Amino acid sequence: MGNILEASGLTRTFDQLIAVDDVSFEIAEGETFGLLGPNGAGKTTSISMIAGLLEPDSGRVTVEGVEISTGSTKGKASIGLVPQELAIYPDLTAVENLVFFGRLYGMNREELARRVDEVLDVIGLTDRRDDLTKEFSGGMKRRLNIGIGLLHRPRMLILDEPTVGVDPQSRNAILESVEQLSSEGMAVLYTTHYMEEAERLCDRVAIIDEGAIQAEGTRRELVALVGETDRISIAAEGDLDAASSAAGSMSGVREAVTGDHTIEVLAADASSILPELLGRVSGAGVNIHGVEVIEPNLEAVFLHLTGKALRD
Amino acid sequence: MKILVIAASNVRRMLRDRSNIFFVFIFPIAIILLIGAQFGGGVDPRIGLVVGSDDQLAADIAESIESAEGIETNRFESEAELVETVERGGAQAGVILPNGLSEVAARGDVVEIGFISRPDGSGTQLQSVANAAIAKVMTAVGAAQFAASETDASFEEALSTSRPLAEDGSSIGVEVTAVGEALFPSSMGQFDLGASSQLVLFVFLTAMTGSAALILSRQLGITKRMLSTPTSVSTVIVGESLGRLGQALVQGLYIIGLTFLVFRVDWGDPLGALLLLIAFSAVGAGAGMLMGSIFRNDQQAAGIGVILSIGLAALGGSMLPIELFSPTMKTVAHATPHAWALDGFAELLRREGTALDILPELGVLAAYAVVLLALASWRLKAVITRP
Ligand SMILES: Nc1ncnc2c1ncn2[C@@H]1O[C@H](COP(=O)(O)OP(=O)(O)O)[C@@H](O)[C@H]1O
Ligand SMILES: [Mg+2]
């Protein structure tokens, strides 16, 4: 699978502030790439440069091999940008907003009419299609905001914090449609400061802070990078010390200790050792009541990398 | 055409907004009606009459006034009652026709008829209406006086002969001459003056307050989003400008059309009027775009837009006709596009000019439009591509 997006060495300063500092990454077809970082990390500034809305001080962006720049409309038809703000006309209906931007994306009438219906269906606004968007709830506006970016079936969809200020139901609907689009082969660039969203959606994640990418990879790679491990907590009774020493001698287990009616096991990859681990523990003559696997999350990775929490 | 897509959405959004509908379509017409009413009333002005109870001539004159067109009349018992009614505005003028008028006329003396009016403009107009009605009767009286003095016939006999002649219109005419140059020819309808001055005022006002929509689009990130599509900055700017022009034209054509059809306002040469409207609308669009590129806050822009456009309209002769300005003020007034547009409409309407006769006005307005649109585009380009 080829790369749809290639961004290299993107840098942008505002006066003294280095908002984005040498940011590079690629996104392949069908891949969802996350930019995870707190407010002010430089996510929107990066995206603005990628979408050709902001001139970088240095660096280069290509989408499907076409160089993106602010002075040209070239390559922009390949991108669907869903901006962080709700960039929709409050005094137009959902359909009118879709048609307006569809025309700007250069779609012809018939194609647009068909896509408008499809997109309304995807974002669940078919029954509100002719209502003015100023009457919409925050979640509905968010969904329309996303729908506009999907209309022209872009090769690459860029979503800038698309779930901010959204009710849980709308949020879930949004995440599901991103998963769906990705499975259809769209390359997705997704920024967020919610680590659960990055974990759920993204094939690869770049952790960004103070304008720079601190680490990049799959969740497992990132976790491994900072030496965090999975934790398996086995609730049991019997000879717990014998069971934990049996577990501790297993390959793939880093450490096993006896807790208060539990055995705590640290392992690089819990899922691959779990069956054998449980066999050994019960073989040591204890009754197992329950098992809990706690995988280290990106929050922990972020904390490890930056020394601060993702959300202040 | 993406330019037209952007322009059309602007026009659609103007027509969508309820408060806009009021200010763009209802309010201007209401003001034109109000001004028309002051110039002679949507409701006919009223003349009060006090008529001597047993005097033939008084009764004849009263009847003549009562049958005059375009006025309402009322009879009052006493002069005091009439004066009070006029003072209170219940009638705009009063005519007093006492007993004994016939006697005076029969003697061949000068007949004096009392006329009272309010100190505003309406009195003068009503006086001429009353004069005409009185003249109609008195022409016959004058002829009868002459006949009675020159022949054996009595005044009454002579009058009964002369009256039918007078009413035929075959009698000696009474010539009324106005002193000084007539500012507004009598052929002008009561709404004509108000219509063009309000057209100019409101089209400009709408364009200026319309700048708020441009600012709002920017605040909401819509302008940026437009640039994230394969649409160039210049397409966006031209589209937005054309949208403003479209809004002004929709309003202008509506005002012209409605006042022409319903209130019979004469706009003069249609081509000339259309060209003037387009040129002035382009000036308004340019001014609105410039406002929209200078201000960051939509409320602020709308507020200042209202003040500026009312001020310019007043200075440019939309409130008080420019013909009444001092020479210095006339010169100052021509710093506004309004004055040029109103000059153009005056040329078309009062001097029956054609499109050719208003070329100077069209030229000046076009120059205004070009300068404003160029300034606005330059500013706007900087503003919308700013991070
Ligand atoms: N137009 C701008 N002018 C000046 N500073 C800016 C501008 N846009 C962003 N910044 C600054 O750049 C940094 C990164 O901002 P941004 O990219 O919006 O972060 P994020 O989207 O991750 O929250 C912040 O410190 C922000 O204040
Ligand atoms: Mg942001």
Side-chain angles (χ1 to χ4, degrees):
Chain A
M1 279 194 287
N3 285 336
I4 301 285
L5 172 81
E6 290 181 1
S8 60
L10 291 177
T11 300
R12 173 73 201 215
T13 56
F14 295 114
D15 299 325
Q16 304 297 331
L17 178 87
I18 304 173
V20 171
D21 187 6
D22 196 19
V23 163
S24 305
F25 55 84
E26 307 82 43
I27 306 178
E29 197 177 333
E31 186 179 34
T32 300
F33 184 87
L35 264 185
L36 176 67
N39 282 330
K43 302 184 294 295
T44 299
T45 306
S46 300
I47 274 185
S48 300
M49 290 189 282
I50 289 168
L53 292 175
L54 180 66
E55 199 65 45
D57 296 338
S58 60
R60 181 164 183 271
V61 177
T62 60
V63 173
E64 293 195 288
V66 178
E67 180 151 4
I68 302 293
S69 90
T70 56
S72 161
T73 59
K74 277 212 192 76
K76 290 188 176 173
S78 305
I79 304 176
L81 173 68
V82 178
Q84 188 171 0
E85 61 269 41
L86 294 166
I88 53 181
Y89 284 115
D91 46 3
L92 292 183
T93 65
V95 167
E96 287 166 343
N97 269 290
L98 288 167
V99 168
F100 177 75
F101 284 106
R103 298 301 300 273
L104 293 192
Y105 275 115
M107 300 173 73
N108 67 40
R109 276 176 203 283
E110 298 95 74
E111 183 194 3
L112 188 52
R114 203 181 55 246
R115 277 299 286 162
V116 163
D117 291 344
E118 287 172 12
V119 166
L120 282 168
D121 191 42
V122 169
I123 60 179
L125 287 176
T126 302
D127 54 341
R128 301 293 302 268
R129 55 184 292 147
D130 293 320
D131 291 349
L132 296 183
T133 64
K134 64 179 165 203
E135 291 156 9
F136 282 9
S137 70
M140 292 161 72
K141 286 181 192 166
R142 278 273 162 222
R143 281 184 273 150
L144 179 61
N145 202 38
I146 293 170
I148 291 169
L150 302 178
L151 264 179
H152 63 297
R153 296 184 179 279
R155 293 305 308 276
M156 189 175 81
L157 181 65
I158 304 180
L159 298 142
D160 195 3
E161 307 214 30
T163 59
V164 168
V166 154
D167 57 287
Q169 221 175 333
S170 282
R171 169 190 290 231
N172 200 47
I174 289 169
L175 297 182
E176 270 172 19
S177 21
V178 174
E179 285 167 337
Q180 174 67 28
L181 292 163
S182 165
S183 75
E184 289 167 11
M186 210 178 262
V188 179
L189 171 55
Y190 191 100
T191 84
T192 183
H193 65 267
Y194 299 120
M195 66 93 191
E196 318 87 61
E197 290 184 3
E199 289 191 341
R200 170 170 165 187
L201 291 178
C202 300
D203 302 309
R204 280 187 305 131
V205 174
I207 289 178
I208 183 169
D209 189 43
E210 294 180 350
I213 291 183
Q214 309 293 329
E216 189 224 290
T218 63
R219 187 190 69 84
R220 188 147 291 285
E221 285 167 1
L222 288 171
V223 165
L225 192 74
V226 300
E228 294 278 344
T229 56
D230 292 354
R231 202 170 80 231
I232 305 163
S233 180
I234 305 169
E237 61 186 272
D239 188 352
L240 297 184
D241 288 333
S244 57
S245 63
S249 65
M250 229 183 97
S251 75
V253 170
R254 197 167 293 181
E255 200 180 340
V257 294
T258 310
D260 188 16
H261 301 292
T262 61
I263 302 163
E264 304 289 342
V265 179
L266 297 182
D269 184 357
S271 56
S272 66
I273 61 153
L274 199 56
E276 192 191 339
L277 176 68
L278 294 180
R280 287 201 182 198
V281 168
S282 54
V286 298
N287 282 332
I288 298 173
H289 298 310
V291 178
E292 192 185 4
V293 177
I294 302 148
E295 299 183 339
N297 59 31
L298 292 174
E299 180 83 50
V301 176
F302 188 83
L303 186 67
H304 187 105
L305 287 172
T306 67
K308 60 190 179 192
L310 205 45
R311 264 167 284 174
D312 316 286
Chain B
M1 273 301 268
K2 291 181 186 177
I3 288 174
L4 293 182
V5 171
I6 298 170
S9 109
N10 274 299
V11 174
R12 166 175 291 169
R13 285 164 51 226
M14 171 180 82
L15 299 175
R16 195 48 71 69
D17 185 342
R18 287 223 188 84
S19 62
N20 254 353
I21 296 286
F22 177 78
F23 281 107
V24 172
F25 297 111
I26 300 173
F27 197 52
I29 299 294
I31 297 286
I32 289 171
L33 287 185
L34 204 68
I35 291 176
Q38 284 177 339
F39 266 82
V43 180
D44 287 339
R46 192 173 286 275
I47 298 184
L49 298 170
V50 178
V51 187
S53 52
D54 44 39
D55 189 289
Q56 189 54 43
L57 185 56
D60 289 347
I61 293 175
E63 227 171 87
S64 176
I65 293 175
E66 281 164 348
S67 64
E69 273 180 35
I71 57 162
E72 298 280 328
T73 56
N74 254 18
R75 290 201 184 194
F76 292 87
E77 291 301 318
S78 68
E79 193 174 326
E81 199 187 330
L82 173 64
V83 169
E84 197 188 323
T85 306
V86 172
E87 276 173 355
R88 289 190 174 175
Q92 282 70 45
V95 177
I96 297 140
L97 303 161
N99 280 329
L101 277 186
S102 303
E103 249 170 70
V104 176
R107 275 204 308 274
D109 288 349
V110 173
V111 177
E112 281 186 27
I113 297 170
F115 182 82
I116 56 170
S117 74
R118 295 180 60 76
D120 56 30
S122 58
T124 337
Q125 288 187 329
L126 285 175
Q127 189 165 10
S128 54
V129 174
N131 278 346
I134 294 166
K136 214 158 144 191
V137 177
M138 293 309 285
T139 311
V141 170
Q145 279 176 338
F146 180 74
S149 64
E150 298 293 315
T151 67
D152 294 341
S154 72
F155 172 71
E156 282 77 17
E157 281 167 356
L159 186 59
S160 61
T161 317
S162 67
R163 182 162 290 154
L165 292 175
E167 282 174 4
D168 278 353
S170 55
S171 66
I172 314 146
V174 175
E175 204 172 325
V176 180
T177 43
V179 181
E181 190 197 352
L183 292 178
F184 309 110
S186 54
S187 68
M188 218 167 110
Q190 66 180 102
F191 298 115
D192 292 2
L193 184 69
S196 54
S197 58
Q198 298 317 298
L199 172 79
V200 165
L201 189 159
F202 279 102
V203 164
F204 202 80
L205 180 67
T206 304
M208 291 291 258
T209 53
S211 65
L214 195 65
I215 295 169
L216 200 65
S217 297
R218 247 179 22 241
Q219 285 175 345
L220 292 174
I222 293 171
T223 316
K224 269 261 148 64
R225 181 170 220 165
M226 287 158 76
L227 294 178
S228 81
T229 69
T231 307
S232 69
V233 182
S234 44
T235 300
V236 171
I237 292 176
V238 175
E240 293 282 352
S241 305
L242 216 59
R244 297 286 162 308
L245 179 66
Q247 292 176 339
L249 283 177
V250 165
Q251 184 185 27
L253 288 173
Y254 160 83
I255 292 178
I256 290 179
L258 190 81
T259 54
F260 174 73
L261 292 173
V262 180
F263 306 110
R264 316 218 159 181
V265 169
D266 183 4
W267 289 92
D269 179 56
L271 177 65
L274 182 68
L275 290 176
L276 261 186
L277 176 65
I278 292 174
F280 187 74
S281 295
V283 177
M289 292 292 284
L290 191 57
M291 289 281 292
S293 68
I294 289 173
F295 289 92
R296 279 158 183 261
N297 175 317
D298 59 324
Q299 311 268 341
Q300 195 184 22
I304 291 176
V306 169
I307 294 169
L308 259 177
S309 35
I310 302 261
L312 286 174
L315 189 61
S318 272
M319 311 262 182
L320 185 66
I322 208 162
E323 285 81 355
L324 305 179
F325 284 17
S326 72
T328 323
M329 280 311 289
K330 257 184 209 169
T331 312
V332 175
H334 282 84
T336 69
H338 299 62
W340 291 95
L342 288 174
D343 280 357
F345 280 115
E347 181 68 36
L348 294 179
L349 176 55
R350 291 180 229 149
R351 294 184 280 280
E352 297 187 337
T354 63
L356 279 181
D357 299 315
I358 55 165
L359 280 181
E361 285 84 3
L362 287 174
V364 172
L365 290 174
Y368 265 108
V370 167
V371 169
L372 286 169
L373 283 167
L375 269 178
S377 304
W378 168 67
R379 281 287 308 154
L380 206 60
K381 180 165 182 178
V383 169
I384 65 181
T385 54
R386 190 160 59 199

